[in-house]
Amino acid sequence: MRNLLIKGGTVVNADHQRRADVLCVDGIIAAVGDASQWDIPAGTETVDAGGLYVMPGGIDPHTHMNFPFMGTTTVDDFYSGTAAALAGGTTTIIDFVIPNPQQPLMDAYHQWRGWAEKAAADYSFHVAITWWDESVRQDMGTLVQQEGINSFKHFMAYKNAIMCDDETLMNSFRRCLELGAMPTVHAENGEMVYLLQQEMLKQGITGPEAHPLSRPPEVEGEAANRAITVASIMGVPIYVVHVSCRESAEAIARARGRGQRVYGEVLAGHLVIDDSVYRHPDFGFAAAHVMSPPFRDKSHQSALWHGLQSGQLHTTATDHCTFCASQKAAGRDNFSKIPNGCGGVEERMAVIWDAGVNSGRLTPGEFVAITSANTARLFNIYPRKGCVAQGADADLVLWDPAGSKTLSASTHHSRNDFNIFEGRTVTGVPAFTISQGQLVWADGELRAREGAGRYIKRPAFGPDFSAAAAWERQRAPQAVAR
Ligand code: URP
Ligand code: ZN
Ligand code: ZN
């Protein structure tokens, strides 16, 4: 392992930026400051970061690699997906273990751990709660206390598959509070979606244009409100994944205004792509955009940007879940059978920089907050990840704000045959990506190594939980002494 000295760049953290050199030794940041004052170990490689921003490597808190879903499996596995991530400046992903209903949680967890061994970048897991009984309750404890899981996912959609009902939501949220683990939700009312899907098909609207019609924003807003209400009653923080519309952004902002600890994630795709894609005359193009929640009318994009700018929404992700044209064709005659999911793990950082920082919506520090630091804080791996500081993991992206490229399936590193950002020219690109102190992306050359990624354990009881416990103690029901 070679040590690295990054010289002459501008270090950007979520809370400050300054000109500084960064020394990486044995995969850890050994020093940040003025290299002329340090003893540099012999054999250290120097990277000239003049004109570049030195930022924490991106953390994508929402990916699905090697995901068996809707009768097929994503084309990106943990190697190709994390290699693509590194090419885009993302050095850690948080993926999902998703047990089939009735499958023991621990079985699913070990299955996913096995698939992830080939990852080229660091990874961690949220675990989905798709059913409920005493064994699930117990396995949640084992996962938190022995395996470093500190977040559980609840799909409020995908009826007859992985959807969990309100009773499961309540049981699981209560258990999350006991364990100091963050409950997260995919907020869409699965019953309504199911009904609307049947109605579309009955009306003979069978193409991808029916996908957004069966999942209108109200369906998302209702579920977000419901999940937030359950979390409020249980006294547990909550994280809403892929907030795509004004209705759920407002539900989060309202609850936060009442003092509730609610967090929201936004996908890069939802910030810049609108629902006109579903009316494209080519089935393959339209189907390639089928994901849930769907892309929305353009007016929702401003609500998402405003949420990120105001601090009412907190993280950005991709929901990278890639299915190729032949897989999408399973829904040729019935849109509800098109495997749901789109890519983006490689493009997220550049798309958000270009549309966010270049437009003046975000400062570089705010960019760091929403692409890595906030995720690290919420999922309790800060400042090991999400921060350029002595002692942190040497996971860095050296960002060239003047570099430019045109995004395309013909040049991306995912195995997918489609890129939802096809043809978009972005200014602001990763010149170098450093993972565990090693150069893994250098001026267009990808040096990802299969199996180099590490499983990252995340401790329970992040900062939100001591606040939640104090709050609970204060409002605990009291009997009247008579
Ligand atoms: O369409 C999507 N988002 N596919 C992946 C599963 C999910 O809902 O996150
Ligand atoms: Zn989802
Ligand atoms: Zn997802």
Side-chain angles (χ1 to χ4, degrees):
M1 190 182 256
R2 273 186 98 179
N3 298 325
L4 271 187
L5 174 63
I6 301 153
K7 265 194 82 103
T10 299
V11 169
V12 185
N13 274 314
D15 59 352
H16 76 289
Q17 70 179 61
R18 66 178 168 128
R19 291 295 297 267
D21 306 319
V22 179
L23 178 64
C24 308
V25 176
D26 296 335
I28 303 290
I29 297 176
V32 181
D34 179 358
S36 67
Q37 309 293 313
W38 305 333
D39 286 332
I40 308 294
T44 296
E45 182 180 353
T46 299
V47 180
D48 177 6
L52 305 181
Y53 289 119
V54 181
M55 305 192 289
I59 306 175
D60 189 333
H62 189 154
T63 65
H64 302 275
M65 310 303 177
N66 206 136
F67 181 25
F69 189 47
M70 295 183 73
T72 186
T73 300
T74 55
V75 292
D76 277 318
D77 61 16
F78 278 86
Y79 173 64
S80 63
T82 52
L86 293 171
T90 288
T91 49
T92 305
I93 60 165
I94 313 183
D95 208 273
F96 294 82
V97 171
I98 305 185
N100 292 317
Q102 310 307 318
Q103 183 183 16
L105 263 59
M106 297 311 296
D107 281 9
Y109 170 73
H110 289 300
Q111 205 172 24
W112 256 270
R113 284 292 304 271
W115 291 334
E117 274 174 14
K118 56 166 72 162
D122 285 359
Y123 57 94
S124 193
F125 287 113
H126 313 279
V127 175
I129 302 302
T130 52
W131 61 294
W132 191 259
D133 78 353
E134 180 52 27
S135 75
V136 173
R137 211 188 74 83
Q138 284 195 9
D139 283 351
M140 287 174 77
T142 307
L143 287 165
V144 170
Q145 285 145 13
Q146 293 174 25
E147 303 296 335
I149 298 291
N150 72 11
S151 50
F152 291 94
K153 171 80 174 285
H154 306 80
F155 288 94
M156 299 171 79
Y158 305 123
K159 182 177 158 74
N160 298 330
I162 52 177
M163 179 169 103
C164 75
D165 59 18
D166 288 359
E167 189 182 350
T168 299
L169 217 58
M170 287 189 274
N171 284 325
S172 176
F173 280 23
R174 170 148 291 156
R175 184 68 171 141
C176 283
L177 180 65
E178 283 169 11
L179 293 168
M182 181 74 86
T184 79
V185 288
H186 168 136
E188 283 185 304
N189 182 318
E191 297 292 346
M192 283 196 218
V193 170
Y194 185 75
L195 190 94
L196 292 172
Q197 285 177 330
Q198 305 316 307
E199 281 186 8
M200 288 300 126
L201 293 171
K202 247 190 259 157
Q203 289 175 35
I205 309 175
T206 59
E209 66 278 14
H211 179 68
L213 299 173
S214 66
R215 310 180 97 100
E218 293 85 343
V219 158
E220 185 180 328
E222 184 282 327
N225 270 302
R226 183 158 34 102
I228 289 168
T229 304
V230 174
S232 168
I233 288 170
M234 298 295 166
V236 68
I238 183 172
Y239 176 94
V240 183
V241 310
H242 49 42
V243 174
S244 74
C245 63
R246 191 182 315 104
E247 284 75 357
S248 48
E250 285 175 356
I252 293 169
R254 269 196 308 276
R256 290 175 62 80
R258 294 190 300 265
Q260 204 180 328
R261 287 178 191 281
V262 184
Y263 303 99
E265 167 194 286
V266 182
L267 305 186
H270 283 138
L271 287 167
V272 297
I273 297 170
D274 70 65
D275 58 358
S276 60
V277 290
Y278 297 116
R279 301 201 68 81
H280 196 280
D282 177 50
F283 169 85
F285 181 92
H289 290 89
V290 167
M291 62 163 300
S292 298
F295 296 109
R296 303 292 190 191
D297 174 86
K298 234 182 176 40
S299 64
H300 293 275
Q301 292 170 11
S302 318
L304 302 182
W305 281 113
H306 294 158
L308 291 169
Q309 290 173 275
S310 65
Q312 300 287 30
L313 298 172
H314 308 88
T315 65
T316 56
T318 57
D319 200 357
H320 187 90
C321 182
T322 46
F323 298 107
C324 65
S326 62
Q327 292 172 301
K328 293 275 185 182
R332 190 83 187 76
D333 303 317
N334 177 347
F335 72 95
S336 71
K337 294 194 166 21
I338 300 171
N340 282 209
C342 296
V345 75
E346 181 172 350
E347 295 81 16
R348 176 183 67 126
M349 306 269 287
V351 164
I352 294 174
W353 182 279
D354 185 59
V357 178
N358 292 344
S359 67
R361 288 179 173 116
L362 301 172
T363 65
E366 288 163 347
F367 173 81
V368 168
I370 64 163
T371 55
S372 65
N374 290 352
T375 291
R377 285 197 190 103
L378 285 168
F379 296 107
N380 211 20
I381 46 173
Y382 189 88
R384 175 180 179 188
K385 306 279 190 193
C387 188
V388 184
Q390 189 180 3
D393 283 0
D395 287 353
L396 302 163
V397 59
L398 276 47
W399 199 261
D400 179 0
S404 179
K405 74 174 188 181
T406 300
L407 306 173
S408 173
S410 63
T411 48
H412 71 196
H413 295 82
S414 160
R415 288 191 186 134
N416 205 6
D417 54 8
F418 194 88
N419 188 313
I420 55 171
F421 303 107
E422 185 73 37
R424 177 177 291 269
T425 298
V426 288
T427 301
V429 295
F432 300 92
T433 307
I434 293 158
S435 168
Q436 300 177 49
Q438 302 301 296
L439 278 171
V440 287
W441 170 255
D443 276 332
E445 185 202 336
L446 183 59
R447 304 181 192 168
R449 272 193 310 117
E450 189 165 321
R454 301 165 300 179
Y455 173 64
I456 303 298
K457 288 190 170 189
R458 295 176 291 122
F461 290 103
D464 275 317
F465 284 87
S466 46
W471 182 251
E472 274 310 287
R473 275 196 300 279
Q474 195 191 290
R475 67 170 203 167
Q478 304 283 338
V480 175
R482 298 192 174 88

